[in-house]
Amino acid sequence: MEYIAVNTTFTLSIIEFYRKTKFANVPKQQVQEALGAHNRMFITYFCSLAAPLNLVYVTYFYRMLAETPEALLPWRWAIIYLHSCMFFVMAFTLLMLYFTRKQSQFQNIYTNLLPHYITVVAGAVAVIATAYDQMVTGAVFPYVLFCFFYTVLVRLHPIVYGVYLLLMYLALFALLPEFQKNQLLLNNIRLNTFTVTLASFLISLLQWRSLMLQLHHRSIIEKQQQKLATSYQAVMENTELLNQSNETKSKLLSIIAHDLKGSMGNMRQMLALMDAEIDMDVAERKLWIHTLKETAAKTHQLLNNLLLWSRRQLGNLQVEFENININKLVHEQVQYLHEMALDKKVTYVNEVPNQMYAWADVNMTGVIIRNLLANAMKYVHEHGKVTIRASLDKKSAMVKIEVEDNGIGMEPAQMQKLFTVNTKSTLGTNKEQGTGLGLLLCSEFAKQQGGYMQVTSTIGEGSIFYCVLPAAKTAVHID
């Protein structure tokens, strides 16, 4: 039982070793590229050194032919032929490596075949040379030299390389009796070459596993580097967006602060003059009071927008969806701006169907409509007209609210900057000032409710602002 347990443990260890050797999680293309680069480099070095060395051997043995005993001539000629063969093979290999270095298609094919045909040719030469050496000595130097030197330099899959080594050993095993007649020495040579073959296979297995580990770790490092690069890029983009956001918000707040300072300064001066009890007739006093009321209303509107915008930026403004009546909401906002409309003699026309409903937040939608109405009134002339409509798109299940004016209109370049912190508010028809915060609020509130803003405009004819919101869930719409 102990023997079975030990044998089972050993077998499992071998299986686990082979599993780690394969490393299925290393991409196949990455393995091929690494093997190709490694084999191409080392075979280039090997051929560059071995080609001239083979030529030296051929020259030396050829010059020694005259002094060679007749019994050894077959051995001499065999060595000359073998080294000549190796010289031409290596010269051809170097030429192919040179000519395919810039041709990617042929380079890949040749690089994949290179270690195989070099293994077959060099292995065959080593086997034949070892066999012929038995005519002079019992050494197996060519075979040992090939096995260890080639195993260290070239990388092939252990199974493939193991097959090559086995075929080489079987060929040598079959050839040795033809040249080695000493049976005792023959058996020793066969045992020694088997040991060398097995050791070469184990070395190739260890080197292959080392290469796979290296590629596996490199793959992990590359993935981590890619993640870090992606994270870094995201951080840099977020930082840039944050910097731009802070810059534009600072710009917007400085404009608002300037407008507030101007409005409050004017109110303070007018109240100071009225408090000084200077001579002032009733009409002039009424004019001052009217101006104070108008300035206070504008300041209140600006502060209200600023408060809502700041709550929106801090995430403290929650959307409370419900079915809201658009006609009723428009009527309420028109009443809110009634006095300002009377001062400029602007007419509001509510053409929204009585039963037009949207699925939205009543307070946010009220702010949108109020700001659109105030913006339209700002850019119409005295006795101008502002028309409010609403329609249902049943296909998209969205309600489109339109605020149309017959004012001064806008250039296309100006429309592109609307609904952003980069918009620059222009003076109204009666020199009314603004910050652009109202339209920014409209856009952000529409998006927060699942809608969006649009605008069309023609210079000298007026503008139409559209607020598109989700349609009501259950209410009936009458167009």
Side-chain angles (χ1 to χ4, degrees):
M1 293 297 291
E2 292 181 0
Y3 170 77
I4 295 175
V6 172
N7 189 41
T8 304
T9 305
F10 179 73
T11 304
L12 292 175
S13 299
I14 293 176
I15 295 173
E16 180 66 15
F17 179 84
Y18 180 72
R19 188 189 65 80
K20 291 183 178 179
T21 301
K22 290 180 65 177
F23 271 103
N25 56 341
V26 179
K28 184 178 180 180
Q29 184 178 358
Q30 185 179 351
V31 174
Q32 290 178 345
E33 290 176 356
L35 288 175
H38 176 91
N39 291 334
R40 193 177 179 88
M41 179 180 65
F42 279 99
I43 289 176
T44 302
Y45 293 155
F46 174 72
C47 292
S48 300
L49 294 173
L53 187 61
N54 279 285
L55 190 60
V56 170
Y57 269 106
V58 170
T59 305
Y60 174 76
F61 280 104
Y62 187 79
R63 294 181 62 182
M64 293 293 292
L65 283 175
E67 304 175 6
T68 304
E70 188 175 352
L72 295 180
L73 282 177
W75 171 72
R76 290 286 189 187
W77 279 111
I79 298 302
I80 290 173
Y81 290 146
L82 290 172
H83 283 290
S84 299
C85 176
M86 283 300 295
F87 171 77
F88 286 114
V89 168
M90 291 178 183
F92 172 77
T93 301
L94 289 173
L95 288 174
M96 290 298 293
L97 287 170
Y98 176 78
F99 287 117
T100 60
R101 71 190 191 281
K102 293 183 179 179
Q103 300 178 10
S104 58
Q105 181 179 359
F106 296 105
Q107 184 185 38
N108 293 334
I109 297 173
Y110 186 69
T111 300
N112 292 331
L113 294 176
L114 181 63
H116 297 279
Y117 92 80
I118 287 289
T119 303
V120 172
V121 173
V125 170
V127 168
I128 296 172
T130 302
Y132 269 97
D133 278 349
Q134 303 308 307
M135 298 175 63
V136 179
T137 176
V140 290
F141 178 73
Y143 188 83
V144 173
L145 181 66
F146 169 82
C147 286
F148 284 105
F149 189 69
Y150 198 78
T151 300
V152 170
L153 288 182
V154 179
R155 297 289 181 272
L156 283 172
H157 194 284
I159 294 179
V160 177
Y161 190 59
V163 171
Y164 287 145
L165 288 174
L166 179 61
L167 292 175
M168 285 173 55
Y169 176 74
L170 293 176
L172 183 62
F173 188 91
L175 283 174
L176 279 175
E178 299 294 328
F179 299 91
Q180 182 56 258
K181 304 303 180 180
N182 188 327
Q183 189 62 38
L184 180 61
L185 187 57
L186 176 63
N187 292 335
N188 288 334
I189 291 173
R190 285 175 170 175
L191 179 61
N192 292 335
T193 51
F194 175 77
T195 305
V196 170
T197 304
L198 182 60
S200 299
F201 173 73
L202 293 176
I203 291 173
S204 70
L205 188 64
L206 290 171
Q207 288 186 325
W208 181 267
R209 182 175 183 272
S210 176
L211 177 63
M212 293 299 103
L213 279 170
Q214 182 182 353
L215 294 176
H216 176 65
H217 293 154
R218 185 188 302 174
S219 176
I220 293 175
I221 291 172
E222 289 177 354
K223 289 179 181 178
Q224 291 176 344
Q225 288 176 340
Q226 290 177 356
K227 288 181 180 179
L228 287 174
T230 304
S231 300
Y232 176 77
Q233 184 66 25
V235 169
M236 294 302 296
E237 290 177 357
N238 291 335
T239 302
E240 182 65 22
L241 291 174
L242 183 60
N243 291 335
Q244 292 178 0
S245 178
N246 289 336
E247 182 179 348
T248 51
K249 287 176 183 178
S250 298
K251 179 181 177 181
L252 180 61
L253 290 175
S254 65
I255 295 172
I256 293 171
H258 180 269
D259 288 351
L260 283 175
K261 182 179 179 181
S263 298
M264 298 303 293
N266 291 337
M267 292 176 63
R268 182 179 178 184
Q269 290 178 1
M270 294 177 69
L271 289 172
L273 290 173
M274 293 178 67
D275 187 57
E277 297 182 356
I278 60 174
D279 293 336
M280 185 184 304
D281 57 25
V282 176
E284 189 175 6
R285 181 176 291 275
K286 285 184 177 181
L287 178 62
W288 280 38
I289 292 174
H290 174 75
T291 303
L292 281 172
K293 286 175 61 179
E294 191 176 82
T295 303
K298 291 179 180 179
T299 303
H300 177 266
Q301 175 73 6
L302 178 60
L303 287 174
N304 187 52
N305 285 339
L306 180 60
L307 176 61
L308 291 172
W309 180 72
S310 62
R311 289 179 62 191
R312 170 73 175 82
Q313 297 299 311
L314 293 173
N316 295 332
L317 202 59
Q318 301 298 323
V319 183
E320 297 181 1
F321 286 99
E322 60 178 305
N323 287 339
I324 59 174
N325 187 298
I326 304 299
N327 179 283
K328 180 180 178 182
L329 192 58
V330 168
H331 180 74
E332 291 175 356
Q333 301 307 318
V334 168
Q335 293 299 315
Y336 182 86
L337 300 172
H338 179 68
E339 291 189 10
M340 296 176 64
L342 287 177
D343 292 338
K344 204 170 183 178
K345 302 178 179 61
V346 174
T347 302
Y348 282 113
V349 180
N350 183 359
E351 296 182 358
V352 178
N354 292 329
Q355 298 301 315
M356 179 64 63
Y357 287 84
W359 180 252
D361 184 291
V362 64
N363 294 320
M364 287 186 176
T365 308
V367 170
I368 293 174
I369 295 174
R370 182 165 67 249
N371 276 285
L372 292 179
L373 293 176
N375 184 75
M377 183 172 60
K378 177 181 175 181
Y379 293 105
V380 297
H381 299 284
E382 288 190 355
H383 303 286
K385 178 182 177 183
V386 177
T387 305
I388 307 97
R389 307 183 185 91
S391 59
L392 171 66
D393 185 348
K394 295 182 179 180
K395 185 176 181 180
S396 63
M398 302 293 282
V399 171
K400 179 184 287 188
I401 304 171
E402 304 176 19
V403 178
E404 180 181 4
D405 65 70
N406 59 351
I408 59 177
M410 290 180 290
E411 296 282 356
Q414 187 178 356
M415 285 191 291
Q416 291 179 357
K417 296 181 180 179
L418 293 177
F419 312 120
T420 68
V421 291
N422 294 320
T423 184
K424 185 177 181 181
S425 180
T426 57
L427 294 177
T429 53
N430 283 357
K431 308 300 181 183
E432 299 99 328
Q433 294 182 345
T435 61
L437 182 60
L439 292 181
L440 176 61
L441 269 179
C442 292
S443 177
E444 292 189 356
F445 282 0
K447 290 179 180 178
Q448 196 168 357
Q449 297 178 92
Y452 56 91
M453 297 292 301
Q454 289 180 331
V455 62
T456 59
S457 184
T458 304
I459 291 293
E461 296 183 9
S463 305
I464 305 177
F465 283 81
Y466 303 93
C467 175
V468 182
L469 296 173
K473 300 296 183 180
T474 56
V476 177
H477 308 269
I478 301 177
D479 295 333

